[in-house]
Amino acid sequence: MDEAQALWLPSPNYFPQRAGHVPRWIIVHGTAGFSSAEEVGYYFQRADVSTHYTIGRDGVIVQSVREHDGAWGNGGITDGHDPWWSRDINPNNVTISIEHVKPHRDNSDELTEVQKETSFRLIQHICERHQIPKRKADASGGITGHRSMDPVLRSFCPGPYPWDELFEFLSSSRQERA
């Protein structure tokens, strides 16, 4: 596994070796249902979808796809997407996807405190492992929500997420290392 303390529930749904691409973005998702990270991990073992990680409301991390492979989590790019996404490259091959368990189908749930802390640390670790910019996404990389590439079908994904707190956390972690 790539993240210490993660529970490994492997999914067969991935793109081996990312077709030669490297991850440049982290995509934040909400599950729009489910009650635990383990439940999502088992679902990814039988459905035609997956993400690299799922974070439960209790802070449990499940890893379903290795970071050197692309997960089947992002679907296609729809009209109105952020300008850096290209239909010429499968977005799954240039992203690492993190689901956050949100029991309501509309992703309206706020993250629990432990879920938020776990999410921030996981994002920090992924950024450091892959030299992904620790900031809001743009054409050169960064962190964004699923709605960035699919504002038509995934306008509600990830739902409420503490973006300002995340970027403040990542900024302070950069200063501590300097």
Side-chain angles (χ1 to χ4, degrees), residues 35-157:
S35 59
S36 72
E38 296 91 339
E39 183 184 6
V40 176
Y42 291 124
Y43 175 75
F44 287 162
Q45 291 180 333
R46 64 181 190 280
D48 287 338
V49 66
S50 65
T51 59
H52 294 89
Y53 296 99
T54 304
I55 301 172
R57 298 191 57 77
D58 57 0
V60 168
I61 301 173
V62 168
Q63 184 171 359
S64 297
V65 175
R66 294 292 309 269
E67 291 176 8
H68 65 261
D69 295 319
W72 293 6
N74 297 316
I77 297 170
T78 62
D79 289 340
H81 61 82
D82 282 329
W84 56 84
W85 299 115
S86 169
R87 288 186 174 102
D88 296 334
I89 297 174
N90 181 333
N92 294 297
N93 285 325
V94 293
T95 60
I96 293 178
S97 291
I98 305 171
E99 287 281 4
H100 295 78
V101 172
K102 293 190 168 194
H104 289 96
R105 298 288 301 156
D106 65 356
N107 274 336
S108 61
D109 302 276
E110 299 282 344
L111 300 185
T112 66
E113 192 62 30
V114 70
Q115 190 177 32
K116 178 177 75 171
E117 292 168 6
T118 302
S119 180
F120 290 4
R121 282 192 311 276
L122 177 59
I123 289 171
Q124 175 189 14
H125 296 163
I126 293 168
C127 286
E128 290 168 356
R129 281 194 288 271
H130 297 280
Q131 292 75 51
I132 293 172
K134 294 179 181 179
R135 57 171 167 68
K136 184 177 178 183
D138 64 18
S140 62
I143 308 154
T144 190
H146 191 185
R147 66 177 164 250
S148 168
M149 66 182 67
D150 186 357
V152 174
L153 300 174
R154 298 291 182 246
S155 62
F156 60 92
C157 189

